[in-house]
Amino acid sequence: MRKAKDLFLNTITYISSGFGCLILIILLLFIFKNGIRLLDWSLITSDYHQETYQVNITNTKNYHLGDYRNPQMEGVIYSNVWGIGLQDDVDQNNEKIVTIKYLAPLSPFATIAKLEVGYQISKMTMTNETGDYLLALAKSGAEPMIAMLAEATMITDMIATSGGGGIRGSLLTTLYLIVLTLAIALPLGISAAIYLHEFAKQNQFTRIIRMMIDITTGIPSIIFGLVGAIVFIPMMNQTIQSNGGSIASGALTLTIVLLPIIIKTTEESLKVIPDSYRMASLALGASRSQTTFQVILPNAVCGILTATLLSIGRIIGESAALIYAVGTAIKDSVAMNEKSTSLAVHIWSLMSGENPNYELSCAISIIILLIVGIISLGVKVISRNINKMEVK
Amino acid sequence: MTRHIRKNEYQHKTRIDKIIKGAFFIVTLFCASIIFFIVLFIFIHGIKPFINQYQIGESWYRVDFWQFMTGTVWFQAPNVYGIGFIIINTLYVVGLALAIAAPVSILTALLVSRIAPSMIGKAITTVIELLAAIPSIIYGLFGMGVVTNFVKSLAKIFHYQSAGGLSTLSTVIVLAIMIIPTITMISITSIKAVKRDVIDASLALGASPTQTNFKVVLKSAQSGIFSGIILGVGRALGEATAVSMVAGNHGSGPTLNLFDTTRTLTSTMLLGLKETTGLDYDIRFSVGIILIGLILGVNFLLNMVKRRLSR
């Protein structure tokens, strides 16, 4: 009876921990299944907003039609009159588009319209020999478009787009945020940690200061966002002439989010340094500050590195604070005094619209997860080193 | 002569010491006062809607504080805002999430630190650490893509038409998933800190290992586990992004039905953010005050309970 009960209880614990594992597996499956298709180099390097070209090919003297060679490409529908190969495709919003897969070197599309392979055609208006207008839309597919091209003699109006759907701007913004935030937060956080651990008398006053820093850790990030919106945005509007939220106001907001974390982590690493180091240095005639900068800090490097990594992880994952303190407009050109989105807020912008874009969101999520995974691995390796030092 | 130089040098050194100490002290004071400024600024901005007059259309309005605190409809044009039901929704959702997360986390922690062989324990610890490192926006994405679909089909079984799965239940599940790592990690630490003597005594008295784990170890670790729960609740109350993505932001309430859309304090603050001036923007800061108050209040209450438990 007792054995059966024990077995039952043990089974329950296994089931509960299975729950956590199951969640992680489902989450990873979902993210990778949806996002892996978009994950390639062009995602990182291309702009989010599409470049649109409006062109026409109407001056019949400048081109000739009719005798282009068929390149025989798999799945490409080809017009030997115009020397262009098209293929049905879907864009990131899962809408049907027509992509240019082949252009003959002398095709009017290449020589006059200056289009390139990889551009997408959304609309084409043509006239045939008798002067009738023909309209081909991307949503009806490549085949009707080619069929109409076979009759057409002139392209009166055509809209093509290139690129788009990339995250270059958001990636840059995230990097800017990381560099700027760490440049402000690390010196402040480390000095505060050094003061609390090396200089301060451990009295009631220091205890209150510690408590206040602890409470700051428990404040949710959206509240920090509100502070960014009413304090840092006006401050930056005054100093660097930004208009509304900017990367600078976002970095200042993230600074106050991170300060308590940096102070805590650095202080933990200061605690590990044996007192004999301090005493030896002081006994040799070094002053307090010399000891701090030349003995304590070099030994606390691991802790400071951990704090840096944790901060980077937090910056990359932060969304609520930045939505308020910067804004949600996705930008391709990134500047300190302008709005743009970090990777996480980019996902928020994609998901909070009318048609949530799962594929691109999941692709960005894969990138975020990879970075976060590398960071937690790094923290683990460093903390193992710190533990070794403690044993010594 | 040499003595004189030494003395000078000594004075110089101590002066530098004093300057550096002073500078570091100012920085520390600044870091500690952040919390004070946060509360102050949000308070000053958040009470504006109840004091200042706002121009809406032709006339000027202010918001009634009593209606704001007790209202059951978020917004009635032009100037009536109510968050009474939102407070109830928030507490309801967080309570349910805790009811799922707490048992799961505590049992997982017990398995990792006492029951499972060390290989399995390490593997599960890694899984929990990974879950803790995932940012909330990705949980929100997961909630929209997976949890809402699950809830939608669950609602169908009960012949209930849910709003595409956006519901109280989805919010509860997402929140539970997000606070499981927090509670588990702190529970693991406190269970591992239980003294060997206590365990040995229990075993020597003839209790089986499982009985010891459930009756002695958990009892001795309860104060630490409770700290984990307090942290988890804090995180759940303040979680904004993921909750906003699955809550559905119902305009009135309170919502007690699991399959209906809900609205929490944080989702109210985050969703529908368009303009950055005017009453509709400023009222979000009032919600912010209430959120800070709620978090501090719940924290205080739970700490009271914890103190009573450990007595």
Side-chain angles (χ1 to χ4, degrees), chain A residues 28-37 359 362 366:
Chain A
L28 290 180
L29 272 181
F30 166 72
I31 300 282
F32 274 89
K33 196 183 121 236
N34 283 295
I36 203 79
R37 188 183 77 95
E359 246 184 312
C362 286
I366 295 177

mmCIF file of all heavy atoms in Angstrom, chain A residues 28-37 359 362 366:
data_model
loop_
_atom_site.group_PDB
_atom_site.id
_atom_site.type_symbol
_atom_site.label_atom_id
_atom_site.label_comp_id
_atom_site.label_asym_id
_atom_site.label_seq_id
_atom_site.Cartn_x
_atom_site.Cartn_y
_atom_site.Cartn_z
ATOM 1 N N LEU A 28 9.497 25.205 -29.531
ATOM 2 C CA LEU A 28 10.585 25.192 -30.516
ATOM 3 C C LEU A 28 10.078 24.671 -31.858
ATOM 4 O O LEU A 28 10.395 25.227 -32.908
ATOM 5 C CB LEU A 28 11.743 24.334 -30.009
ATOM 6 C CG LEU A 28 12.510 24.930 -28.825
ATOM 7 C CD1 LEU A 28 13.632 24.008 -28.399
ATOM 8 C CD2 LEU A 28 13.062 26.296 -29.165
ATOM 9 N N LEU A 29 9.261 23.604 -31.819
ATOM 10 C CA LEU A 29 8.710 23.048 -33.061
ATOM 11 C C LEU A 29 7.927 24.113 -33.815
ATOM 12 O O LEU A 29 8.110 24.303 -35.017
ATOM 13 C CB LEU A 29 7.794 21.857 -32.742
ATOM 14 C CG LEU A 29 8.454 20.491 -32.653
ATOM 15 C CD1 LEU A 29 7.405 19.430 -32.355
ATOM 16 C CD2 LEU A 29 9.160 20.166 -33.961
ATOM 17 N N PHE A 30 7.064 24.811 -33.082
ATOM 18 C CA PHE A 30 6.216 25.836 -33.699
ATOM 19 C C PHE A 30 7.067 26.925 -34.350
ATOM 20 O O PHE A 30 6.866 27.284 -35.508
ATOM 21 C CB PHE A 30 5.296 26.433 -32.634
ATOM 22 C CG PHE A 30 4.616 27.703 -33.045
ATOM 23 C CD1 PHE A 30 3.590 27.684 -33.977
ATOM 24 C CD2 PHE A 30 4.994 28.916 -32.506
ATOM 25 C CE1 PHE A 30 2.964 28.847 -34.362
ATOM 26 C CE2 PHE A 30 4.372 30.087 -32.881
ATOM 27 C CZ PHE A 30 3.361 30.054 -33.812
ATOM 28 N N ILE A 31 8.056 27.434 -33.580
ATOM 29 C CA ILE A 31 8.890 28.532 -34.075
ATOM 30 C C ILE A 31 9.677 28.078 -35.310
ATOM 31 O O ILE A 31 9.706 28.758 -36.333
ATOM 32 C CB ILE A 31 9.866 28.998 -32.973
ATOM 33 C CG1 ILE A 31 9.116 29.490 -31.745
ATOM 34 C CG2 ILE A 31 10.822 30.055 -33.504
ATOM 35 C CD1 ILE A 31 8.543 30.837 -31.845
ATOM 36 N N PHE A 32 10.300 26.884 -35.207
ATOM 37 C CA PHE A 32 11.164 26.459 -36.309
ATOM 38 C C PHE A 32 10.346 26.068 -37.532
ATOM 39 O O PHE A 32 10.727 26.379 -38.653
ATOM 40 C CB PHE A 32 12.060 25.293 -35.865
ATOM 41 C CG PHE A 32 13.310 25.778 -35.198
ATOM 42 C CD1 PHE A 32 13.343 26.009 -33.834
ATOM 43 C CD2 PHE A 32 14.445 26.045 -35.939
ATOM 44 C CE1 PHE A 32 14.485 26.489 -33.214
ATOM 45 C CE2 PHE A 32 15.598 26.519 -35.344
ATOM 46 C CZ PHE A 32 15.617 26.736 -33.972
ATOM 47 N N LYS A 33 9.210 25.405 -37.323
ATOM 48 C CA LYS A 33 8.405 24.968 -38.460
ATOM 49 C C LYS A 33 7.948 26.179 -39.281
ATOM 50 O O LYS A 33 7.981 26.160 -40.507
ATOM 51 C CB LYS A 33 7.183 24.182 -37.951
ATOM 52 C CG LYS A 33 6.499 23.358 -39.027
ATOM 53 C CD LYS A 33 5.270 22.665 -38.471
ATOM 54 C CE LYS A 33 4.050 23.090 -39.236
ATOM 55 N NZ LYS A 33 2.963 23.659 -38.485
ATOM 56 N N ASN A 34 7.548 27.239 -38.598
ATOM 57 C CA ASN A 34 7.034 28.404 -39.317
ATOM 58 C C ASN A 34 8.137 29.306 -39.850
ATOM 59 O O ASN A 34 7.961 29.965 -40.862
ATOM 60 C CB ASN A 34 6.122 29.223 -38.399
ATOM 61 C CG ASN A 34 4.773 28.598 -38.243
ATOM 62 O OD1 ASN A 34 4.007 28.490 -39.191
ATOM 63 N ND2 ASN A 34 4.491 28.124 -37.049
ATOM 64 N N GLY A 35 9.236 29.365 -39.107
ATOM 65 C CA GLY A 35 10.210 30.401 -39.442
ATOM 66 C C GLY A 35 11.356 29.956 -40.310
ATOM 67 O O GLY A 35 12.018 30.784 -40.928
ATOM 68 N N ILE A 36 11.594 28.644 -40.396
ATOM 69 C CA ILE A 36 12.829 28.186 -41.027
ATOM 70 C C ILE A 36 12.873 28.535 -42.511
ATOM 71 O O ILE A 36 13.933 28.771 -43.073
ATOM 72 C CB ILE A 36 13.008 26.658 -40.793
ATOM 73 C CG1 ILE A 36 14.464 26.278 -40.914
ATOM 74 C CG2 ILE A 36 12.184 25.839 -41.762
ATOM 75 C CD1 ILE A 36 15.267 26.588 -39.690
ATOM 76 N N ARG A 37 11.695 28.631 -43.176
ATOM 77 C CA ARG A 37 11.682 28.889 -44.614
ATOM 78 C C ARG A 37 12.305 30.242 -44.953
ATOM 79 O O ARG A 37 12.971 30.403 -45.979
ATOM 80 C CB ARG A 37 10.236 28.844 -45.127
ATOM 81 C CG ARG A 37 10.120 28.902 -46.647
ATOM 82 C CD ARG A 37 8.673 28.935 -47.080
ATOM 83 N NE ARG A 37 8.093 30.247 -46.888
ATOM 84 C CZ ARG A 37 8.019 31.183 -47.839
ATOM 85 N NH1 ARG A 37 8.481 30.928 -49.037
ATOM 86 N NH2 ARG A 37 7.481 32.351 -47.594
ATOM 87 N N GLU A 359 5.085 33.887 -40.174
ATOM 88 C CA GLU A 359 6.322 33.346 -40.718
ATOM 89 C C GLU A 359 7.522 34.221 -40.388
ATOM 90 O O GLU A 359 8.524 33.748 -39.848
ATOM 91 C CB GLU A 359 6.185 33.197 -42.238
ATOM 92 C CG GLU A 359 6.218 31.752 -42.649
ATOM 93 C CD GLU A 359 6.181 31.617 -44.145
ATOM 94 O OE1 GLU A 359 5.324 32.263 -44.785
ATOM 95 O OE2 GLU A 359 7.016 30.884 -44.661
ATOM 96 N N CYS A 362 8.258 34.260 -36.655
ATOM 97 C CA CYS A 362 8.950 33.064 -36.175
ATOM 98 C C CYS A 362 10.404 33.079 -36.624
ATOM 99 O O CYS A 362 11.286 32.644 -35.876
ATOM 100 C CB CYS A 362 8.256 31.808 -36.673
ATOM 101 S SG CYS A 362 6.714 31.499 -35.824
ATOM 102 N N ILE A 366 13.557 32.832 -34.157
ATOM 103 C CA ILE A 366 14.674 31.884 -34.206
ATOM 104 C C ILE A 366 15.972 32.628 -33.941
ATOM 105 O O ILE A 366 16.807 32.183 -33.143
ATOM 106 C CB ILE A 366 14.743 31.179 -35.582
ATOM 107 C CG1 ILE A 366 13.505 30.313 -35.780
ATOM 108 C CG2 ILE A 366 15.998 30.313 -35.680
ATOM 109 C CD1 ILE A 366 13.457 29.636 -37.122
#
